[in-house]
Amino acid sequence: MLLKLNHIYKWVKSGGRRVFLLNDLNLTIEKGEFISLMGPSGSGKSTLFNVIAMLDTFDEGDYFFENETIHDLNSKQKTKLFNENIGFIFQAYHLLDDLTVYENIETPLLYKKIKSSERKALVADMLDKFNIVGKKDLFPHQLSGGQQQLVGIARALIIKPKLILADEPTGNLNSTQSDEIMQLFKDLNTEGITIIQATHSESNAAYGSRLIKLLDGSVNNK
Amino acid sequence: MIKNYFKIAWRNLMKDKFYNLISLSGLTIGLSMSIFIIIWIQSELSYNSFVAHHDNIYRVSSNINSGGELQTWGTSTGPVASFAKSDIPEVKNAVRVQENWSYRIYSVEENDFELTGAYVDTEFFEMFERKVVDGNHKQLLRSTTSIVLTETTAQKLFGTSKAVGKTLKADHDDVFTVTGVVEDLPQNSSVDYEMFFSLDILKGEYSEGNYWKSLDTDWGNFNFITYLQLQNPEDVESVTRKLTIIQQTNDPNAESFKVKESYYLQPIAQMNLYSPGGIPKGMNTVQIFGIVLIIILSIACINYVNLSTAKAFQRSKEVSIRKIIGADKKNLFTQFLVESTLFFSLATIVAVGLVYLLAPFFREVSGKELPIDFLQSQLLGLIFGVFVITLIVSSIYPALMLSSFKPLQAIKGRVSGVSKGTFRKVLVTVQFAFSVILIIGTIVIARQLDYLTSKNPGYDRSQVLNFWMSGSMQQQAISLKNRLVNLPGVKGVSFASNSIINNGNTTGDVAWDSENPNAELIVNPIAIDENFIPLLKMNLLQGENFKGISTDSTHYILNETAIRLMGIEDPIGKNFELWETKGIILGVVEDFNFESFKNDIGPAVLYYQPDSFRAYLKIDGNNTSSTLAAVEAIWKDYNPNYPFEYSFMNAEYENMYRKDQRTGDLFNNFSIIAIFVSCLGLFGITTYTAQLKKREIGIRKVLGASIFQVTKLLSSDFLILVAVSAVIAIPLAWYVMDLWLQDFVYRIPMSWWIFALAGGITLVIAIITVSFQAIRAAIANPVKSLRTE
């Protein structure tokens, strides 16, 4: 088991009444799974991502990540756990505009205080793996959307995360680029990385090993 | 990692050039002005500090009782130094200095020079630590014909500092031999003379037959500045006590002094900013400039904080991404701190360059020979201090704010506290409050100086030319007067003993019919002739003017203050005695200012003397240059070797307030800069606000808002802040400027319109600054702004 969510509730107060964002949500994810998360807008996909990423709190329920009980950790411990285990990939790529491809990929390692020589080796490996060595000194605005997303994925992978959270990773891409990225995800999954992707596209969802449908803040796999 | 921080900082600096330029110019201007103020204050405070042990040297000020009022003079009598040296063991050394007024022109062969010299005791060079460049340091002023030059003077006169043995002539007559050349004395000191004479010359003017037998027993003439070097600063009290006892036992007139302590020992470092009695005078100005320094630095810092936090909105996305890919708060805090440090370093470097560039201008405005030496450790330390303090003050808040964004919200552009910017509003208010204070200060100072130069001093000084006679002029005064009167353009001629713009003469040697036999009064005696009062249109209240006849030598004309202080009723015809010459009071003249308006009008005694040294010429001013040429021709008849030196009373008058005028000019410049920097900041913030509200403006315009309404929407917030700041600033400015005005006996009232004007000026400047951006945003095509969102 990689993570397990038990009876998770999250709500906001609106006009004195609770509006549930997550409503008795139960989910267990095993190591090596490739989950496709689907659901209409407002079904709670983003909230669930934030909860899994430990970037957001929940109001009731238990959250276990490997053998840690997340609901008992303070925010500093949660940040540490997140930084060491989870890589985030965004629909809008969210690369750092002022940094080159190389520097974007290198930055997470800087924050982990990895030594310079090791850093170089790791970034070089990553550039190689994604076939973007030639683009390493370009800035994000000089790349196509697909290339930018590759850099985004490389940046997420550089810390060797156990889990990748991808929030509509191909939402801004055309279908060819989209298929390439999905194939890449599938390959990564084969290498053993657990992936959860949120998507609106049935074809993208088909790349996953399991489909989870979300409705009104809880899992609805009927 | 640190290298990486610098790399990011540099790229950020290069990216947003427009705003960074605004922010950088504000900071650079602020810092360079601060450096100037620091140098200026440093120079004011380091007066006389060229002597290593200056804390141990004191100037002896004399306490005098005049008509029941205590006066403290910066000068003292000859015996003070000699007794101090022989009878007080705590005194290590004592030196008397008297400026040499007897000579004006010094010549080497055919070349004439004008130099300032002083009579000094030989120990002078030891006390003021002058290295002897040439000559025997034990015999520097061995005779009355010896002269010691400073290095620069020797260079000027002889082209070499090895000038010992060479001779020069004073006033084309007396020959002096150079016996020594010493290190120069700095301008920022009370002893910046160019040449030195032996005090024995003055001693030689006494003889057994005189009332005062010798200079060392003359308790009557307060002609010297006496410097005492003590063994130990703790001895000040005991030395003061002992000097008082010595004076009371030896001075035959000690009875009449009736002061507890006859002397006050003033540390020489205080001589320029404190009165001889130790009352802070110029110190007020130094403090005010200290405040200006803090204000300018605050404005510069506030600008930086405002612009960085306004920019936070743009940086929130970056912060969020960094957090998600593993940065913690400390990483981000450090990153922003490094950015600020780089920014401030750049600003400081440019500021230092600017200081060098603007130094001539600043020297001109301040009228000071300011040393600008960045390698000087104290200045370096101060600049570093300013750098560190401003950096800390202005970088911590933005760094904290930026590093504490919640990543997932910030990434979607929902940033708390950025768009509202309450803190920034407070800062803008503070900034403009400072600006209003400076504007009020500028107006008050300008008005006061204007008042001083235009106030009626009790006589008419327009078109009055005056000069000191020299050579044989005074011996032939009567014929000279006839020649001058007959020149075309000259309306009248009068001779008097002093300058009445700033009369320095005083005496206590007066007597009148008083109920109190011990009554004492220090008066200002001025010798005049019968033409003086009509020439200067002074107002004779009672009695009559001198008639130019022989009996006038026993007639006196007193001013109102003298009559009041002596308590004489019906003064005309009453007895009065000046310098043991008995006579009667002939007239009473209306009070007039014979000193700076910083001082009250004192008692004045006008006595008759037809051949005094100073000539006053009233001219018609129709053809001033030909009149001047004619006067000069007559001058040359009497002394062909002297240049004709004259001045107009109006010019002299303005001269007297030059230091105040300079303070005013400095203040003026600093205010303009402070306001400019504030407006830079306001301009930057408005630009950001306009950007943030681009979408809102677009929607409003589509819904039919006019350009005026949109401009109002963007500007009104800031203009309210400026108005609030004026309200805060006014009482503060009132307090500070009232303090400054206390320096003047004659001063302007603090009228309400000064404050209204200052508030109005600030508001207008702010409106112009804000509306420029606001109008630009308002006239932009809404379709464009909506599409980009």
Side-chain angles (χ1 to χ4, degrees), chain A residues 46 50 55 82-83 88 90 94-100 103-104 106-108 110-111 113 139 155, chain B residues 1 4-5 7-8 11-12 15 317-318 321-327 331-332 335 407-408 411:
Chain A
S46 290
N50 294 346
L55 295 169
F82 164 73
N83 285 337
F88 225 109
F90 303 91
H94 286 327
L95 299 181
L96 291 164
D97 301 332
D98 303 329
L99 300 187
T100 61
E103 288 160 349
N104 259 293
E106 183 193 26
T107 304
L110 286 169
Y111 290 131
K113 299 195 173 66
F139 286 91
R155 187 180 64 184
Chain B
M1 192 75 201
N4 192 266
Y5 286 140
K7 188 169 69 189
I8 298 164
R11 283 189 197 160
N12 261 306
K15 196 173 94 181
K317 188 189 141 195
E318 177 198 339
I321 299 172
R322 286 184 181 278
K323 279 196 164 177
I324 287 170
I325 62 175
N331 291 135
L332 290 163
Q335 182 191 325
L408 282 169
I411 214 164

Side-chain angles (χ1 to χ4, degrees), chain B residues 387-440:
Chain B
F387 172 79
V388 171
I389 291 169
T390 48
L391 175 64
I392 291 175
V393 167
S394 40
S395 62
I396 287 198
Y397 176 77
L400 272 179
M401 176 184 166
L402 285 165
S403 55
S404 60
F405 286 142
K406 289 226 164 65
L408 282 169
Q409 286 168 6
I411 214 164
K412 291 189 178 122
R414 282 177 307 205
V415 183
S416 52
V418 172
S419 41
K420 257 171 97 191
T422 316
F423 182 68
R424 215 158 50 235
K425 284 181 181 166
V426 173
L427 289 183
V428 170
T429 312
V430 172
Q431 202 175 25
F432 274 87
F434 282 149
S435 300
V436 174
I437 291 176
L438 289 181
I439 295 180
I440 292 173

Side-chain angles (χ1 to χ4, degrees), chain B residues 455-472:
Chain B
K455 184 180 159 26
N456 179 7
Y459 55 86
D460 177 15
R461 55 168 197 268
S462 61
Q463 302 289 7
V464 178
L465 170 78
N466 63 147
F467 56 84
W468 290 109
M469 298 181 197
S470 66
S472 57

